Amino acid sequence: GYWEETRSPFASAGLNDATMPHELVNTGTNTFTFKQISYTDRESGDNDTNSHPSFVGEKITGGFFHNNRLGFLSKDNVSMSRAGESFNFYFKTAQTIIDSDPIDVSCSSIVPTKLHAVLPTAQGVILFSAKQQFILFSDSGVLTPGLSTIRAISNYEMDEDVQPVDVGTNLNFITN
């Protein structure tokens, strides 16, 4: 015999594709298809050892792609997929955390924070809320579940209706 890790029979398979973000695919010249994405099911563990990403049950307020990971914002959380597996938000194993596993971190602030915009940069991922800006980064330069950190970088008010813009040497955003 042998031991094979699997998902608990009492845990859900994972994300509901119908309620998750969909994709718009360019299928030809001036032709697009809007379709549902097949997100990867949880393969191991249960709700304690391999829990749902923090955006489950919450409104997703932003999405981005950075360092071969798909990311979503919700409330004060940033959730990023497994490295190289854009539609997989679950750990490979419930036994340990590996560098390619999903990243799910929260902003820490004395001001109520609701993230609504994001700009990936070479230094890290810049996160925007109505009254504060943050950076998601790693001292090693590589984002991993164990090394990723979010730090506040400024306290400017920002209009939530206008997305920030990266203009090369500056990041511009509108304030009231």
Side-chain angles (χ1 to χ4, degrees):
Y2 64 94
W3 179 80
E4 183 177 336
E5 187 175 13
T6 187
R7 181 180 69 240
S8 166
F10 307 109
S12 73
L15 305 172
N16 180 350
D17 296 344
T19 60
M20 288 291 293
H22 288 42
E23 67 182 338
L24 186 62
V25 180
N26 184 346
T27 55
T29 304
N30 298 325
T31 307
F32 295 90
T33 302
F34 185 70
K35 65 180 191 172
Q36 188 170 293
I37 297 171
S38 294
Y39 289 88
T40 306
D41 286 343
R42 175 176 21 200
E43 297 172 349
S44 64
D46 57 24
N47 289 335
D48 293 324
T49 60
N50 194 358
S51 62
H52 292 299
S54 60
F55 59 76
V56 171
E58 304 294 337
K59 179 181 177 183
I60 293 175
T61 55
F64 62 98
F65 194 76
H66 180 70
N67 281 3
N68 211 16
R69 294 177 186 263
L70 175 64
F72 294 124
L73 307 177
S74 77
K75 288 189 169 184
D76 61 349
N77 297 306
V78 180
S79 300
M80 297 175 75
S81 68
R82 282 177 40 186
E85 298 180 45
S86 299
F87 306 125
N88 191 345
F89 288 88
Y90 294 100
F91 296 131
K92 184 171 184 75
T93 173
Q95 300 295 314
T96 187
I97 296 175
I98 57 177
D99 288 347
S100 62
D101 275 343
I103 297 168
D104 204 326
V105 290
S106 178
C107 294
S108 177
S109 175
I110 59 171
V111 178
T113 302
K114 183 182 126 198
L115 299 173
H116 63 85
V118 59
L119 284 176
T121 67
Q123 293 77 27
V125 179
I126 309 299
L127 309 166
F128 297 87
S129 71
K131 297 186 185 278
Q132 217 170 2
Q133 294 74 46
F134 303 88
I135 185 167
L136 167 64
F137 73 102
S138 169
D139 287 331
S140 71
V142 179
L143 292 176
T144 67
L147 299 176
S148 298
T149 304
I150 295 180
R151 288 211 178 108
I153 55 175
S154 60
N155 294 309
Y156 296 109
E157 288 191 20
M158 178 184 173
D159 187 334
E160 294 182 47
D161 297 325
V162 181
Q163 292 294 309
V165 179
D166 183 350
V167 292
T169 57
N170 294 309
L171 302 177
N172 293 341
F173 55 91
I174 304 295
T175 184
N176 294 331

